[in-house]
């Protein structure tokens, strides 16, 4: 009897589930000649993984509209829901999902998305052809060893399997046991009564243990900060109501701690613009294309600031001014402007602003991403109130623009260009396409931090809630360049900003809201450590004749993404996808596919499925 062909997928978040979906779709299209066994393994919850597990609180939200998410590689048809043909998240929720559907432009609790992923896995399993089966395994894989016919997987409980192919989609790493960035944890150990909570998924941070009324320092103003803010307010029974001035008012329960927060830039992530685009809209760049970047490059390896960013900035400016012209003078004026810019583009980056001036927009300043993301750069404040007033104005302006949406707001339309052209950026930066210094300093060191502030933010409602909590005194942003240190004199933690006079504040608890980055040497997972020690996973190092940059991500081949071992040889029975490969590839954190034509998310999963099914 022919033994079954076994494929194990380790990690069952959205990426792992999409690999299973494409495996199932291909098996349905062309049944295998021998039995196929699929294993989907997850240490927390099979089908949705740790980040989207279904038992987390409903106030922990996604930051992508419901209508832009699907777990299926194709839309539903007249047949049953199955791999390759299933409802989008919005279709599922609006038809038969849990209560509270916010509309396709609303935002979902992560737990609800987890339930949708579980629904998708059930549908994919039901649709498997007769000679294929899927086994769900709840457990933690701690080791992987090559064998004659494949690999041996060992789970924490000692269980072992020997699949022929293994797909590693392990997702967000746990925080390291020892945090080298600060000595806060060690200071807390030496001073009874103090606590340091290291960064992790907010659902796993035991935020319910923060005492009511306690001053709690929060390091970081990203998405985890907003989750912590919600957990400490909505999660404590507080509520928001509409105020007479159009802003929210917070009604406390009395159980809230006081959050004292800060970050390097001092600005929380800005509100994401409302999506007003028609369903299925796809933006096609006119200026910023891989071919144009390569045609005008300064050398075989690209310089991000000199070769890539000018063309991205030009595309952004084109949409920014065209949107303004459409608002002021109609679609014909916007088209005339766009056509003139494109015609002027020959052997150089076009002068967008000069062309805009000729079309009547001389007084409209250009978009400067870095200035927008760092509005306090070079500024000093005489006291916390002066900084707070400035911050409130920046946040309110951002909310107003976000609520105008990505069709009517020139700024929101321009920022969407950065999202829409991520595929171009990836072609320009992935697999060492950039010079090492440009990769490390210009792209990861400068562009990514300020683009994250502007593009990765929460829905506008979260910023409105933040403003209400600041007005109530339950949240205070310390300022830019925040310092958090153990203060020996007081025996407490001190939070301060060198740019804000009088900002120093003592707290007894510090929560690290910074998401751990991809770094193979610091990942505490036993599987990662064993893969490294066996030489099956190596770190991708970007190098040229002048410089070397160790990226922290797993060295892999292009699709289907085999890891490159210590001898420089791809292991063609293994596949690595997602966050462990960040910095080898860019933007692997994305956790979903979009309805409509396939994007990288689905194409990546399909490339692995096609290769893994070949015996």
């Amino acid at each position: 009897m022919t033994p079954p062909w076994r494929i194990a997928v380790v990690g069952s978040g959205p990426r792992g589930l999409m690999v299973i979906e494409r495996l199932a779709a291909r098996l349905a299209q062309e049944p295998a000649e021998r039995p196929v066994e699929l294993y989907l393994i997850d240490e927390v919850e099979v089908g949705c993984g740790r980040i989207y597990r279904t038992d987390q609180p409903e106030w922990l939200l996604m930051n992508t509209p419901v209508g832009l998410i699907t777990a299926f590689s194709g839309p539903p048809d007249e047949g049953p829901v199955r791999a390759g043909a299933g409802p989008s998240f919005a279709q599922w929720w609006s038809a038969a999902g849990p209560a509270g559907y916010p509309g396709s432009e609303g935002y979902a609790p992560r737990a609800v998305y987890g339930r949708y992923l579980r629904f998708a896995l059930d549908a994919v399993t039901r649709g498997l052809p007769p000679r294929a089966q899927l086994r769900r395994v709840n457990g933690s894989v701690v080791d992987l060893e090559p064998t004659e016919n494949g690999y041996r997987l060992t789970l924490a409980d000692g269980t072992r399997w020997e699949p022929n192919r293994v797909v590693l989609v392990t997702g967000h790493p746990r925080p390291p046991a020892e945090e080298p960035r600060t000595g806060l944890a060690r200071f807390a150990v030496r001073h009874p009564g103090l606590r340091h909570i290291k960064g992790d998924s907010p659902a796993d941070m035991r935020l319910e243990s923060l005492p009511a009324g306690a001053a709690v320092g929060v390091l970081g103003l990203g998405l985890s900060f907003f989750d912590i803010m919600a957990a400490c307010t909505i999660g404590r029974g507080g509520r928001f109501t509409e105020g007479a001035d159009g802003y929210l008012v917070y009604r406390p329960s009395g159980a809230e701690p006081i959050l004292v927060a800060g970050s390097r830039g001092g600005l929380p992530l800005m509100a994401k613009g409302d999506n007003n685009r028609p369903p299925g809209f796809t933006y096609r760049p006119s200026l910023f294309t891989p071919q144009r970047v390569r045609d005008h490059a300064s050398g075989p390896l690209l310089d991000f600031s000199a070769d890539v960013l000018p063309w991205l900035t030009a595309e952004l400016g084109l949409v920014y001014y065209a949107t303004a012209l459409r608002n002021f003078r109609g679609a014909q004026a916007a088209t005339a402007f766009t056509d003139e810019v494109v015609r002027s583009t020959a052997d150089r980056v076009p002068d967008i602003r000069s062309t805009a001036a000729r079309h009547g927009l001389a007084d409209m300043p250009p978009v400067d991403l870095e200035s927008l993301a760092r509005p306090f750069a070079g500024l000093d404040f005489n006291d916390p109130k002066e900084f707070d007033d400035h911050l409130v104005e920046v946040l309110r302006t951002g909310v107003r623009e976000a609520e105008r949406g990505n069709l009517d707001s020139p700024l929101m339309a321009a920022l969407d260009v950065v999202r829409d052209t991520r595929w171009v950026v990836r072609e320009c930066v992935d697999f060492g396409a950039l010079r090492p210094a440009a990769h490390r300093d210009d792209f990861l060191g400068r562009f990514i931090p300020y683009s994250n502030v502007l593009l990765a933010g929460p829905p506008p409602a979260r910023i409105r809630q933040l403003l209400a909590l600041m007005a109530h005194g339950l949240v205070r942003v310390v300022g830019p360049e925040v310092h958090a240190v153990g203060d020996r004199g007081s025996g407490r933690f001190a939070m301060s900003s060198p740019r804000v006079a009088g900002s120093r504040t003592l707290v007894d608890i510090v929560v690290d809201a910074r998401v751990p980055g991809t770094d193979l040497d610091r990942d505490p997972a036993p599987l990662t450590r064993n893969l490294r020690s066996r030489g099956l996973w190596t770190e991708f190092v970007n190098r040229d004749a002048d410089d070397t940059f160790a990226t922290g991500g797993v060295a892999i081949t292009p699709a289907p993404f085999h890891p490159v071992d210590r001898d420089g040889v791809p292991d063609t029975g293994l596949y690595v996808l997602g966050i462990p490969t960040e910095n080898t590839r860019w933007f692997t954190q994305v956790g979903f596919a979009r309805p409509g034509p396939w994007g990288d998310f689905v194409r990546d999963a399909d490339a692995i499925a096609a290769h893994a099914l070949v015996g």
Side-chain angles (χ1 to χ4, degrees):
M1 180 176 178
T2 304
W5 185 251
R6 297 184 174 94
I7 302 171
V9 178
V10 180
S12 74
R15 281 191 184 274
L17 181 59
M18 184 54 72
V19 172
I20 290 289
E21 200 265 8
R22 289 310 306 157
L23 286 165
R26 283 183 167 273
L27 285 168
Q29 292 166 359
E30 188 175 347
E33 296 180 359
R34 57 174 162 172
V36 174
E37 291 180 0
L38 307 177
Y39 293 80
L40 184 58
I41 308 170
D42 197 279
E43 66 172 315
V44 176
E45 185 172 353
V46 179
C48 57
R50 179 170 74 103
I51 300 302
Y52 299 108
R53 71 176 200 239
T54 58
D55 65 348
Q56 62 187 298
E58 299 272 313
W59 55 77
L60 298 177
L61 299 180
M62 301 179 70
N63 72 323
T64 298
V66 172
L68 298 181
I69 302 170
T70 186
F72 294 91
S73 57
D77 56 19
E78 296 180 355
V81 176
R82 63 196 186 280
S88 69
F89 188 17
Q91 290 169 330
W92 168 80
W93 194 352
S94 62
Y101 176 59
S104 62
E105 304 310 322
Y107 293 81
R110 290 202 281 269
V112 174
Y113 181 46
R115 292 198 279 277
Y116 167 66
L117 295 175
R118 293 286 298 269
F119 156 83
L121 178 59
D122 289 343
V124 167
T125 304
R126 287 194 301 269
L128 286 169
R131 290 167 62 83
Q133 62 177 305
L134 187 146
R135 299 186 179 184
R136 308 180 193 197
V137 180
N138 191 196
S140 176
V141 177
V142 297
D143 200 5
L144 180 154
E145 306 168 74
T147 63
E148 182 178 351
N149 296 314
Y151 305 89
R152 180 179 299 109
L153 294 180
T154 302
L155 271 63
D157 65 1
T159 303
R160 292 185 173 185
W161 286 291
E162 294 198 2
N164 303 95
R165 300 284 186 265
V166 179
V167 186
L168 297 165
V169 199
T170 50
H172 287 278
R174 299 277 188 176
E178 183 69 18
E179 175 53 75
R181 288 181 293 189
T182 69
L184 298 177
R186 291 188 294 274
F187 187 82
V189 169
R190 295 194 299 267
H191 293 78
L194 300 188
R195 289 176 59 201
H196 173 261
I197 301 176
K198 59 188 177 182
D200 201 352
S201 168
D204 295 326
M205 294 174 74
R206 297 188 59 230
L207 299 173
E208 70 280 359
S209 67
L210 299 177
V216 177
V218 181
L219 296 176
L221 293 170
L223 291 175
S224 291
F225 161 74
F226 286 99
D227 287 339
I228 293 166
M229 181 187 84
C232 292
T233 53
I234 300 171
R236 299 291 182 97
R239 59 190 179 90
F240 295 91
T241 60
E242 292 287 340
D245 59 357
Y247 292 98
L248 296 180
V249 175
Y250 183 65
R251 309 296 183 186
S253 68
E256 299 88 349
I258 299 167
L259 303 182
V260 182
S263 68
R264 180 174 56 180
L267 180 67
L269 297 187
M270 298 298 285
K272 183 170 290 185
D274 288 343
N275 180 43
N276 307 131
R277 292 170 165 180
F281 175 87
T282 300
Y283 179 77
R284 294 179 175 83
S286 300
L287 306 175
F288 182 45
T289 65
Q291 190 61 52
R292 184 167 276 125
V293 171
R294 293 190 191 100
D295 287 346
H296 298 86
S298 55
L301 292 179
L302 299 176
D303 183 297
F304 186 78
S305 295
D307 299 329
V308 182
L309 190 57
W311 289 104
L312 172 57
T313 302
E315 189 77 43
L316 190 150
L318 178 68
V319 171
Y320 173 71
Y321 286 115
T323 302
L325 281 168
R326 190 187 70 237
N327 290 343
F328 298 150
R329 295 166 49 194
Q332 188 173 352
T335 299
F337 165 75
T338 300
D339 289 346
E340 181 177 339
V341 170
V342 174
R343 284 196 306 270
S344 71
T345 304
D347 58 352
R348 59 183 177 82
V349 178
D351 187 344
I352 303 287
R353 192 173 186 190
S354 293
T355 307
R358 289 196 298 274
H359 284 254
L361 298 179
D363 295 332
M364 188 172 176
V367 177
D368 184 334
L369 296 180
E370 191 161 7
S371 295
L372 287 169
R374 297 287 185 264
F376 313 123
L379 298 180
D380 291 306
F381 299 90
N382 293 317
D383 54 49
K385 183 180 183 306
E386 184 180 356
F387 170 74
D388 194 63
D389 290 345
H390 195 155
L391 174 60
V392 166
E393 182 55 36
V394 170
L395 293 175
R396 286 183 172 180
T397 299
V399 167
R400 287 194 294 269
E401 286 297 308
E403 291 178 342
R404 288 180 68 188
N406 56 9
L407 281 183
D408 293 334
S409 165
L411 177 59
M412 292 297 111
L415 292 179
D416 260 16
V417 168
V418 185
R419 295 188 183 93
D420 294 333
T421 59
R422 279 174 175 146
W423 67 273
V424 182
V425 176
R426 291 182 68 167
E427 289 202 26
C428 295
V429 307
D430 286 1
F431 299 105
L434 292 175
R435 293 189 300 105
H439 190 181
R440 178 186 59 240
D441 302 330
D442 298 339
F443 182 62
L444 296 176
R446 292 185 63 210
F447 176 76
I448 294 305
Y450 66 68
S451 65
N452 283 345
V453 170
L454 299 174
L455 302 172
R462 277 288 196 245
I463 304 297
R464 287 188 170 276
Q465 291 170 357
L466 170 61
L467 287 165
L469 293 168
M470 291 172 63
H472 200 278
L474 286 173
V475 174
R476 179 184 150 216
V477 178
V478 177
E481 301 174 28
V482 68
H483 293 315
V485 298
D487 181 65
R488 294 181 180 179
S490 64
R492 304 174 71 191
F493 297 119
M495 302 269 293
S496 65
S497 165
R499 317 302 297 183
V500 182
S503 62
R504 185 174 182 271
T505 304
L506 297 177
V507 300
D508 294 323
I509 303 169
V510 170
V511 179
D512 195 334
R514 299 169 293 190
V515 176
T518 300
D519 188 339
L520 289 180
D521 289 333
R522 294 179 55 222
D523 187 341
L527 177 60
T528 300
R529 294 200 301 268
N530 285 325
L531 287 166
R532 287 282 274 159
S533 66
R534 295 183 190 280
L536 299 176
W537 273 14
T538 58
E539 182 177 18
F540 173 62
V541 179
N542 187 356
R543 54 168 53 92
D544 62 12
D546 302 316
D547 199 3
T548 297
F549 171 42
T551 66
V554 178
I556 55 171
T557 68
F561 315 114
H562 301 302
V564 179
D565 67 20
R566 63 162 58 107
D567 296 321
V569 178
D571 189 324
T572 56
L574 289 179
Y575 314 85
V576 191
L577 193 60
I579 290 172
T581 68
E582 184 68 21
N583 299 338
T584 308
R585 305 174 72 204
W586 174 58
F587 203 63
T588 62
Q589 301 96 333
V590 61
F592 50 82
R594 293 194 173 200
W598 284 8
D600 288 344
F601 191 90
V602 180
R603 283 194 295 267
D604 291 352
D606 187 64
I608 291 174
H611 191 275
L613 285 169
V614 177

